[in-house]
Amino acid sequence: MEIKAIRGFNDILPDETGKWQFVENTAREVFEGFGFSEIRIPIVERTELFSRGIGEATDIVEKEMYTFTDKSGNSLTLRPEATASMVRAYLEHQMYSFDPAAKLYFIGPMFRYERPQKGRYRQFHQIDAEVFGVGNPMVDAELILMLIHFLKKVGLEQLELQINSLGCRDCRPRYREELKKFLTKISFRLCEDCQRRINTNPLRIFDCKVKTCQEAIADAPKVIDYLCEDCRRHFGKVKEYLGIAGLLFTLNPRMVRGLDYYTRTAFEVVSYQLGSQNAVTGGGRYDNLFQEIGSVDIPGIGFAIGMERLISLMPEGKEFIRYPQLFIAALGEGTFKEAYRWINQLHLQGIRAELDYEGKSLKSQMRRADKLKARYVLILGEEELKRGRAVLRNMNTKSQEEILIDNILEIIKNKIVLD
Ligand SMILES: [Zn+2]
Ligand SMILES: [Zn+2]
């Protein structure tokens, strides 16, 4: 029986990995330029970390986690997101003792048991960036600037930055109560899920996709009108620093983010490319998360980008596949050994060169060079070799020239570099 990949777990094949590498390399370059360092966290953690960190009344913890019992009877979970693990690592290794401010980023796969659909997998990939230990609104704007800069560098255009403030543990409970009061009054107009959410997680009603729910909550109270003095000042500063950073933004009072732990600044980036509106990524401040995980008061802010989504939004046209720069078509035993020596030299110098391994005819070697989309083909026959010459063919222009074998590697390298 043929063994296939598990549903929701997919292979990323060589003709796609160029795009992935480009996105990952761009993230590393941009983030490190902003003073961030990479952290690598384990794939498996104690289940408790996520139930405490993400919150029991969330879809992730309620239904989407890959949880299992190991041979010692511990309940373990494949990480469904990165922030909780990064917080755990920061506390466990007392990274704050060196410097309270830690700027960290992470790239890797996450696991959620969701219904697989086009572009949505159970093993998916995220790019995460987090700043721990700084509550200053300056860092909120700095992180957002870094995010927008990264998205533009990978080719996204027509982006809109939306921001909101979700308040803190002093002012949000009051808002929650007001929202609950409002929702209870109109509960008959809400879907079943939303009716349940009134008591478990009322803010999540804003994320409901049901049209009648959206209509019913059109006049719901806005969190921004319930902010305490500190939160209002913080949000004012975030807007001021975004202005200094040269970023335009729109206020979206209905953006509440799915997770319980967000406080104060919340943001999302929306793309209007291709004529439709797509949420690209989002994030926010979570000054209570450290309380939940480590009973300490440390502020944090971060964002997560779904890589599958990001890659699907990248413009077409940019070439990511790396084709051979040179194909050597050697004919005859003696020439083959010479070609083998050259190709090793080229590889050692980082030039992508291919050789025919089968000793086939010139015609079939040229066919292969064409299929592999090689830029140049070096044709080497026994007769030419004796005369100290070879033929170099440019596969784009179809022009070819005879070149001398002394210095052949230099000649080829110059051609390829100039191309
Ligand atoms: Zn507040
Ligand atoms: Zn609903």
Side-chain angles (χ1 to χ4, degrees):
M1 201 175 70
E2 198 186 344
I3 298 175
K4 294 201 168 152
I6 307 166
R7 204 159 115 87
F9 290 71
N10 82 317
D11 301 305
I12 301 168
L13 299 176
D15 60 352
E16 302 167 79
T17 46
K19 234 177 195 184
W20 286 75
Q21 288 172 352
F22 167 72
V23 169
E24 289 162 0
N25 292 342
T26 307
R28 291 199 158 88
E29 190 189 305
V30 169
F31 296 178
E32 305 219 349
F34 272 76
F36 284 65
S37 305
E38 184 173 9
I39 182 170
R40 302 197 182 191
I41 49 173
I43 284 180
V44 182
E45 298 267 9
R46 289 189 184 277
T47 303
E48 206 190 342
L49 175 68
F50 302 116
S51 49
R52 274 190 0 214
I54 301 171
E56 299 278 3
T58 55
D59 282 354
I60 300 177
V61 173
E62 274 179 359
K63 4 179 208 209
E64 295 170 359
M65 294 207 302
Y66 273 92
T67 299
F68 61 96
T69 308
D70 76 358
K71 291 197 165 91
S72 322
N74 300 312
S75 177
L76 305 180
T77 294
L78 302 186
R79 61 181 184 216
E81 55 114 60
T83 311
S85 300
M86 287 161 80
V87 166
R88 179 202 46 70
Y90 173 83
L91 293 173
E92 186 172 337
H93 303 286
Q94 296 168 11
M95 289 168 72
Y96 48 81
S97 65
F98 169 66
D99 187 311
K103 298 178 176 179
L104 304 170
Y105 75 89
F106 167 80
I107 302 174
M110 304 292 158
F111 304 85
R112 287 186 201 171
Y113 196 82
E114 287 181 285
R115 204 157 48 86
Q117 41 184 287
K118 197 179 176 301
R120 181 114 131 242
Y121 304 101
R122 289 174 171 172
Q123 174 177 332
F124 60 100
H125 300 78
Q126 279 190 345
I127 298 176
D128 263 78
E130 316 279 343
V131 181
F132 299 152
V134 190
N136 193 310
M138 205 185 281
V139 94
D140 303 35
E142 191 181 308
L143 185 81
I144 293 171
L145 174 64
M146 178 173 92
L147 170 62
I148 303 275
H149 181 57
F150 164 69
L151 295 174
K152 285 184 178 164
K153 269 209 125 169
V154 297
L156 267 59
E157 286 165 2
Q158 290 171 277
L159 300 174
E160 182 186 61
L161 168 64
Q162 302 184 348
I163 59 168
N164 193 18
S165 176
L166 306 181
C168 65
R169 79 193 112 185
D170 294 329
C171 56
R172 191 146 89 206
R174 197 162 64 88
Y175 170 67
R176 238 176 109 107
E177 281 317 303
E178 285 303 315
L179 182 63
K180 261 169 128 172
K181 256 191 247 166
F182 171 85
L183 294 172
T184 310
K185 263 187 276 172
I186 56 137
S187 67
F188 64 96
R189 294 174 64 191
L190 299 173
C191 74
E192 227 170 275
D193 274 342
C194 284
Q195 290 191 353
R196 195 171 46 87
R197 284 174 185 146
I198 295 177
N199 290 310
T200 56
N201 197 346
L203 271 74
R204 292 239 26 218
I205 285 179
F206 291 105
D207 296 332
C208 183
K209 300 272 184 289
V210 179
K211 201 164 167 267
T212 47
C213 289
Q214 285 301 321
E215 287 163 7
I217 58 171
D219 300 322
K222 297 183 178 103
V223 60
I224 200 104
D225 297 327
Y226 291 81
L227 298 181
C228 66
E229 190 47 43
D230 281 352
C231 286
R232 214 179 2 249
R233 198 167 35 225
H234 187 275
F235 195 42
K237 285 281 175 200
V238 170
K239 290 188 275 190
E240 189 186 333
Y241 286 123
L242 286 174
I244 294 172
L247 291 177
L248 299 173
F249 56 85
T250 52
L251 209 61
N252 180 356
R254 285 160 154 263
M255 185 220 309
V256 293
R257 312 285 305 152
L259 304 181
D260 265 352
Y261 58 58
Y262 284 111
T263 53
R264 292 191 171 165
T265 316
F267 54 90
E268 273 179 15
V269 181
V270 175
S271 159
Y272 289 93
Q273 221 159 281
L274 315 167
S276 60
Q277 181 181 343
N278 290 292
V280 184
T281 168
R285 186 165 273 292
Y286 41 83
D287 295 343
N288 296 342
L289 181 61
F290 281 83
Q291 267 305 337
E292 297 295 331
I293 292 174
S295 304
V296 286
D297 245 328
I298 294 175
I301 183 167
F303 61 74
I305 305 169
M307 289 182 73
E308 281 81 0
R309 160 70 65 91
L310 176 65
I311 285 170
S312 76
L313 292 172
M314 277 164 59
E316 300 288 327
K318 195 168 153 80
E319 191 67 82
F320 293 101
I321 302 170
R322 305 182 76 197
Y323 301 110
Q325 292 158 299
L326 181 76
F327 186 95
I328 303 183
L331 300 160
E333 182 79 11
T335 54
F336 193 82
K337 282 182 188 153
E338 200 58 28
Y340 180 71
R341 215 151 49 81
W342 292 345
I343 209 158
N344 286 342
Q345 284 304 315
L346 292 168
H347 285 161
L348 290 173
Q349 293 175 61
I351 289 176
R352 284 190 310 284
E354 279 293 327
L355 187 63
D356 175 62
Y357 298 109
E358 312 281 346
K360 287 197 176 138
S361 69
L362 178 62
K363 201 172 155 200
S364 94
Q365 291 195 42
M366 291 306 285
R367 240 191 338 257
R368 179 151 177 258
D370 206 38
K371 192 176 72 181
L372 296 175
K373 298 203 168 99
R375 290 285 291 113
Y376 285 93
V377 178
L378 185 72
I379 304 162
L380 190 62
E382 307 252 21
E383 277 309 307
E384 286 90 342
L385 187 62
K386 273 187 212 140
R387 289 197 294 124
R389 282 156 205 279
V391 171
L392 187 66
R393 182 176 170 85
N394 182 325
M395 296 295 274
N396 279 2
T397 62
K398 310 285 177 207
S399 65
Q400 53 185 49
E401 58 183 309
E402 210 173 54
I403 56 174
L404 291 172
I405 280 173
D406 315 322
N407 277 336
I408 193 161
L409 297 179
E410 283 309 309
I411 296 170
I412 289 170
K413 258 169 51 192
N414 287 338
K415 284 262 176 213
I416 286 170
V417 169
L418 288 175
D419 218 26

